[in-house]
Amino acid sequence: TSLPSAPISRVNTAPITLPASIQMQDVYSLHNMHLSYRPASEQRSELFYLSKFHPGYTQPNVSASFKIRVDKAGWYTVNYRGRSMLDGTFFKIWSNNMVLAEIVYNQDIDDKTSSRHKIFLNKGEHEIQLDFTREGFDYWNLVWLKFSEMND
């Protein structure tokens, strides 16, 4: 058994200016998932992460929203630090009721550096939503997302 995590109370209302990394503690809203915290130790740094256990027999709507500001419209690569027990669609990135990108998890690919996921972002302030729909028994977590401008 383990002890429950200390409660986290933090609301970020300022948008994150892209290109940049989005840390999970910058989440604006959560639905059916956890924002967890691991304090720093001698071996590890402080860590905030989103996580969810899916027992396999239910498919709840699971989402997290972030406020972003895009200074330059264009194509961006999306890298992330996260894990799942299952390969396949990990999450979709939505904005204004449109899917902007489908992020796929493959345990054989390091998506912290792969730059294989692409997204087009319009200039301005937006709210993006990460929508997680997992099929079957799964436990996943997400630590950060990194948006980088693509070179022409």
Side-chain angles (χ1 to χ4, degrees):
T1 66
S2 64
L3 297 174
S5 299
I8 300 171
S9 181
R10 181 178 191 279
V11 176
N12 182 27
T13 56
I16 298 125
T17 301
L18 301 183
S21 290
I22 296 178
Q23 304 299 316
M24 294 304 103
Q25 64 262 36
D26 294 324
V27 69
Y28 177 69
S29 69
L30 292 173
H31 187 72
N32 283 332
M33 73 171 74
H34 303 284
L35 174 62
S36 301
Y37 173 72
R38 182 189 72 206
S41 68
E42 289 182 23
Q43 296 84 18
R44 296 179 167 178
S45 60
E46 175 183 66
L47 186 68
F48 288 87
Y49 58 97
L50 301 179
S51 65
K52 179 71 177 174
F53 170 74
H54 287 268
Y57 49 84
T58 62
Q59 295 295 322
N61 179 354
V62 178
S63 63
S65 297
F66 299 86
K67 290 184 178 183
I68 62 168
R69 177 183 298 117
V70 180
D71 289 336
K72 182 181 174 188
W75 286 98
Y76 291 77
T77 58
V78 180
N79 290 315
Y80 67 90
R81 178 181 169 193
R83 297 193 78 122
S84 172
M85 293 172 59
L86 303 173
D87 286 348
T89 300
F90 190 15
F91 58 91
K92 293 179 182 175
I93 302 175
W94 291 74
S95 183
N96 296 321
N97 295 320
M98 291 181 54
V99 176
L100 303 180
E102 181 176 326
I103 307 301
V104 176
Y105 178 79
N106 182 322
Q107 62 185 348
D108 297 325
I109 298 174
D110 183 0
D111 279 316
K112 293 185 294 266
T113 59
S114 72
S115 297
R116 67 189 180 113
H117 301 289
K118 316 282 189 262
I119 189 170
F120 186 87
L121 297 172
N122 290 311
K123 183 177 180 176
E125 288 194 16
H126 312 280
E127 184 174 310
I128 59 170
Q129 179 178 332
L130 310 183
D131 183 39
F132 299 81
T133 302
R134 308 302 294 151
E135 295 180 16
F137 181 84
D138 193 17
Y139 174 79
W140 59 263
N141 66 60
L142 183 65
V143 179
W144 52 256
L145 293 169
K146 183 177 180 184
F147 293 83
S148 303
E149 280 185 81
M150 291 181 64
N151 295 330
D152 295 331

